[in-house]
Amino acid sequence: MRIATEFPRTVTVREHVWIPMRDGTRLAATIWLPDDADQDPVPVLLEYLPYRRGDWTAPRDAQRHPWYAGHGYASVRVDIRGSGDSEGVMLDEYHAQEQQDGVDVIAWLAAQQWSTGKVGMFGISWGGFNALQIAAERPEALKAIVTVCSTDDRYADDVHYYGGALLGVDMAAWSATMLAFQSRPPAPWRVGEAWESMWRERLEALRPYSEIWMSHQERDDYWRHGSVCEDYSRIEAAVLAVGGWADPYRNAVLRLMENLDAPCRGLIGPWSHQYPDIARTPGPTIGFLQETLRWWDHWLKDADNGVMDEPPLHVYQQDSARPATHYPERPGTWVALPGWPSAEVPERAFNLARDVRTLAAGADGLVLVDTPQHTGVDAGRWFPFGNRSDLPPDQRAEDGRSVVFDTPPLVKDLNILGFPRLRLRVAATGPRANIVARLCDVAPDGSSTLITRGALNLARRDGMDRSDGLVPGQWTDVTFDLTAIGWTVPAGHRLRVALSTTYWPWVWPHGDRVAVTVDPAASELVVGDLAPEALDRAHPGFGEPEQAAPLAIVAGPPPTVRPEREVRYEPESERWVLTVDPNYGGNRTFPDGLTYRESALERYSIAEDDPLSATAESQWTIGLERGDWRVTIDTTSVITATATHFRLSNEVRATLGDIVWFERAYVTDIDRRSV
């Protein structure tokens, strides 16, 4: 990592700027601006998030916003309405109000004396989502975006549903995370005496997001809103889409490449849920800021720098690696492709009876899949954050709980790239069932490394917007994609397809235990096989990561010492308990004197023979202290289920000094229609 200390333009930071919305609400912004921008106006770059620019994202903001400003941009970080220091309340993620406000922010930025009137928008995760969503609103000044770890389809790829099944691991944890964010006050030293009334307004408006998300179990109009795949033609701004093979949001890069009419470039590396210049595993990191600067210079400064003359898609084809929960650097090769889909990635099919075989087939050639409820405890984290325990460990235990189909040892390398697709002929013993598929790279010593996976709630077999119960015992053909991947299975290794009916806690089980029979002879796996000559082409690679000087943060006392991830089995009750510390950053003191404390813990438990025993819990404690001002936020979120409904229990307690400022419990029952 290279720290830049000298830039073409000197920079001034405007720490707290109010941006007015059309309804009079004001959003809080920090603006990094070249000193001479009033005389020599510059284009504007916007990052628009709910994650509190004054503390939570401040270390990351310091890495990139001053860097962009030093290279001749006004770089702006805005707190979404009802978050951080902004006025109003935040009603939901990706709410129509958020998008309308984003359009207003862009218009205000374009109209400033120091602005050329051209705006770009960038962000990771939430900021990547709303960059796409606001681009679809077509604000006149927005010319280009960089969207990182995001999606074009909110139902398919976000933290709510997976293959039409309820995503237990993050439906609970992320709604709990947002409850803790929603409950935090603005900073009195920035917003003044209004902070108390602003905080009270937020607390009184609280509604746990899980209540909203779980009320929409099919892909209805709620999920269509904010899903730009509904009409790709609405996006006219140029799009640079970025993802990481270790992150669940990588699918959108290839879909955007295939479907956008607007100028589009794609980049997929080995990374987790991080910007590609941030030194979190897996690496290697790249000079991402430099790459995006070329993008901005072309679209916002009309620079003839050849960025659009280069191959439009760059992917990191990962080499085979032994299973590990983190990789400081993944071995692999950068590959440039002329677009997506690509003629250099022809499809290869494996019939599950002829080419990929199983020992589980009966005399009739059929296979029964009926797996224990705790299958999935070795799935790893839903969105890896770069921690040491995030990635899936050796899959041999999971394979033993599943039905596996293995190829013979491969006689030549198989360069899987794109979306593996599984076609299955199945029959079930009940009307509701899930099917989960994992692809694994099995080495000669038997170690099994997860390549990718996918799931299908069989009630969604004819569309994610509908629910069609199965007729018990009746054969049906289903097709679903696994998550996109770039992975080379070398000669001598075996490719494994592992099937299960359960995958806890990623997939919440249906209320009844249902077995699924598979007809291997009528089933196949189809993968894209990247041509060897594409791997052999010389690729220039990317430069060394460069950032602005880090924020002067003082690390606080370490939080409670505990494993990041722990799996425990209780034989007496046959219950499996997975405990996760998401480890987002811990305790620290910021240059403005704010001391920030954070502790979060997730717990998922299930009995191996009882789908109704599933429980997901998340607890957060946040401490904010500056001088004699001290705030503590405690939240607890629990999801359980019966055969007919889910029960959501959420509690919030906010303390100012030693006084309980707010306390409320929310208990909601939601009908189980199809998950």
Side-chain angles (χ1 to χ4, degrees):
M1 172 64 64
R2 184 169 61 243
I3 301 300
T5 57
E6 296 183 2
F7 296 97
R9 310 274 286 262
T10 56
V11 175
T12 295
V13 185
R14 300 184 181 181
E15 296 283 359
H16 184 72
V17 178
W18 289 117
I19 300 179
M21 300 295 98
R22 66 187 70 178
D23 65 356
T25 301
R26 298 179 303 171
L27 303 191
T30 301
I31 301 176
W32 289 263
L33 191 66
D35 287 343
D36 58 350
D38 284 329
Q39 295 76 42
D40 185 6
V42 292
V44 185
L45 302 179
L46 168 65
E47 189 176 23
Y48 177 53
L49 290 170
Y51 300 142
R52 301 178 61 89
R53 78 197 200 290
D55 46 69
W56 213 64
T57 67
R60 189 179 78 192
D61 297 343
Q63 296 169 332
R64 56 206 63 249
H65 288 281
W67 193 95
Y68 284 136
H71 286 89
Y73 290 85
S75 200
V76 182
R77 171 70 172 83
V78 175
D79 287 335
I80 285 171
R81 177 185 296 241
S83 71
D85 297 320
S86 289
E87 296 175 342
V89 297
M90 187 167 55
L91 299 173
D92 193 4
E93 61 178 11
Y94 318 127
H95 194 276
Q97 183 68 62
E98 175 186 328
Q99 292 155 22
Q100 178 180 291
D101 288 348
V103 171
D104 289 352
V105 168
I106 288 171
W108 186 91
L109 294 172
Q112 298 310 297
Q113 177 180 333
W114 38 259
S115 169
T116 63
K118 291 185 177 182
V119 178
M121 194 170 179
F122 72 92
I124 181 171
S125 198
W126 194 308
F129 276 64
N130 63 31
L132 284 168
Q133 293 160 2
I134 293 170
E137 298 296 319
R138 299 178 178 175
E140 182 178 354
L142 185 64
K143 305 303 180 183
I145 68 170
V146 175
T147 178
V148 184
C149 297
S150 71
T151 187
D152 56 340
D153 189 333
R154 293 181 56 214
Y155 185 81
D157 291 325
D158 203 2
V159 296
H160 316 100
Y161 295 90
Y162 184 54
L166 183 71
L167 187 62
V169 66
D170 259 45
M171 179 64 80
W174 194 249
S175 63
T177 301
M178 289 312 302
L179 189 61
F181 269 103
Q182 292 166 268
S183 304
R184 302 179 203 184
W189 55 96
R190 284 192 289 270
V191 305
E193 294 181 359
W195 79 271
E196 288 191 33
S197 60
M198 291 170 64
W199 189 25
R200 179 67 69 182
E201 182 184 20
R202 290 180 190 180
L203 293 170
E204 293 296 339
L206 281 180
R207 181 187 180 189
Y209 288 169
S210 54
E211 295 181 359
I212 305 171
W213 301 337
M214 292 176 67
S215 297
H216 298 273
Q217 295 169 19
E218 295 82 29
R219 192 180 185 281
D220 57 14
D221 286 343
Y222 173 81
W223 299 111
R224 293 185 186 102
H225 166 76
S227 293
V228 300
C229 62
E230 292 295 305
D231 185 359
Y232 287 108
S233 69
R234 288 201 56 79
I235 295 180
E236 296 177 345
V239 176
L240 174 57
V242 183
W245 294 131
D247 184 76
Y249 296 106
R250 69 244 197 190
N251 290 340
V253 177
L254 298 181
R255 290 198 299 255
L256 290 166
M257 289 287 302
E258 181 174 2
N259 292 290
L260 281 181
D261 296 324
C264 184
R265 293 294 185 265
L267 172 65
I268 310 178
W271 312 299
S272 61
H273 199 70
Q274 297 283 351
Y275 279 120
D277 56 297
I278 292 181
R280 301 291 292 266
T281 66
T285 54
I286 66 169
F288 184 63
L289 290 177
Q290 300 95 299
E291 290 300 313
T292 58
L293 183 65
R294 297 174 63 235
W295 179 255
W296 301 128
D297 284 352
H298 176 83
W299 291 107
L300 304 183
K301 293 184 177 179
D302 300 319
D304 185 14
N305 57 14
V307 71
M308 295 303 291
D309 299 329
E310 298 168 0
L313 178 61
H314 296 261
V315 299
Y316 192 73
Q317 185 69 15
Q318 300 174 109
D319 292 341
S320 177
R322 291 188 60 80
T325 57
H326 79 112
Y327 299 92
E329 288 207 1
R330 285 299 317 265
T333 303
W334 281 107
V335 176
L337 293 173
W340 191 265
S342 171
E344 294 185 274
V345 190
E347 291 188 338
R348 181 176 174 185
F350 296 84
N351 179 272
L352 295 197
R354 184 179 63 251
D355 305 309
V356 187
R357 300 185 181 182
T358 180
L359 298 176
D364 57 3
L366 304 179
V367 172
L368 182 69
V369 185
D370 183 12
T371 53
Q373 299 299 315
H374 67 287
T375 305
V377 293
D378 287 336
R381 189 170 179 172
W382 169 249
F383 60 94
F385 203 66
N387 295 332
R388 293 180 64 86
S389 66
D390 283 357
L391 303 182
D394 196 317
Q395 295 290 286
R396 277 181 277 199
E398 296 280 56
D399 295 347
R401 291 186 279 263
S402 307
V403 173
V404 300
F405 299 78
D406 285 355
T407 65
L410 299 177
V411 297
K412 64 177 184 177
D413 294 355
L414 176 63
N415 303 311
I416 299 172
L417 181 60
F419 297 94
R421 185 170 62 255
L422 198 58
R423 298 172 179 150
L424 299 175
R425 179 162 293 170
V426 298
T429 58
R432 304 286 186 204
N434 296 317
I435 193 76
V436 178
R438 290 177 295 112
L439 286 191
C440 295
D441 176 348
V442 182
D445 66 358
S447 60
S448 178
T449 306
L450 184 69
I451 299 173
T452 189
R453 57 202 145 192
L456 179 65
N457 177 354
L458 292 173
R460 306 272 188 265
R461 63 193 181 279
D462 293 322
M464 292 294 158
D465 59 347
R466 54 190 291 177
S467 178
D468 301 296
L470 298 159
V471 177
Q474 180 175 302
W475 290 104
T476 185
D477 293 318
V478 301
T479 301
F480 60 101
D481 286 346
L482 280 60
T483 304
I485 196 65
W487 185 286
T488 294
V489 185
H493 286 217
R494 288 173 289 149
L495 178 64
R496 172 169 291 168
V497 181
L499 300 180
S500 62
T501 50
T502 53
Y503 203 55
W504 177 257
W506 278 41
V507 171
W508 199 287
H510 288 287
D512 297 319
R513 182 166 182 169
V514 174
V516 173
T517 300
V518 176
D519 181 356
S523 304
E524 68 175 5
L525 169 72
V526 180
V527 299
D529 187 6
L530 177 67
E533 51 266 30
L535 278 168
D536 293 339
R537 276 200 302 265
H539 188 284
F542 299 94
E544 178 187 356
E546 181 176 295
Q547 296 171 352
L551 196 64
I553 289 175
V554 178
T560 304
V561 177
R562 58 194 177 202
E564 284 184 348
R565 188 175 191 88
E566 181 181 61
V567 179
R568 189 177 77 250
Y569 175 50
E570 302 170 353
E572 182 178 353
S573 63
E574 295 188 332
R575 181 171 286 273
W576 291 75
V577 182
L578 170 64
T579 305
V580 178
D581 180 347
N583 192 12
Y584 285 119
N587 305 327
R588 47 207 183 269
T589 298
F590 293 90
D592 65 358
L594 173 68
T595 295
Y596 176 86
R597 294 179 292 105
E598 174 181 289
S599 175
L601 192 68
E602 303 164 18
R603 185 176 292 106
Y604 308 94
S605 65
I606 199 165
E608 62 183 50
D609 290 321
D610 183 6
L612 297 181
S613 65
T615 302
E617 307 171 60
S618 181
Q619 296 178 317
W620 275 78
T621 296
I622 301 296
L624 303 167
E625 186 172 351
R626 187 177 188 260
D628 59 1
W629 182 81
R630 177 165 49 89
V631 168
T632 304
I633 307 291
D634 294 290
T635 67
T636 301
S637 301
V638 181
I639 300 178
T640 57
T642 68
T644 58
H645 67 271
F646 293 99
R647 169 151 289 191
L648 282 60
S649 301
N650 292 277
E651 297 179 2
V652 178
R653 179 185 175 96
T655 304
L656 177 61
D658 297 321
I659 300 171
V660 176
W661 181 261
F662 178 87
E663 190 169 22
R664 188 167 295 173
Y666 309 79
V667 179
T668 304
D669 290 341
I670 295 177
D671 291 342
R672 299 187 71 165
R673 294 191 306 275
S674 54
V675 292

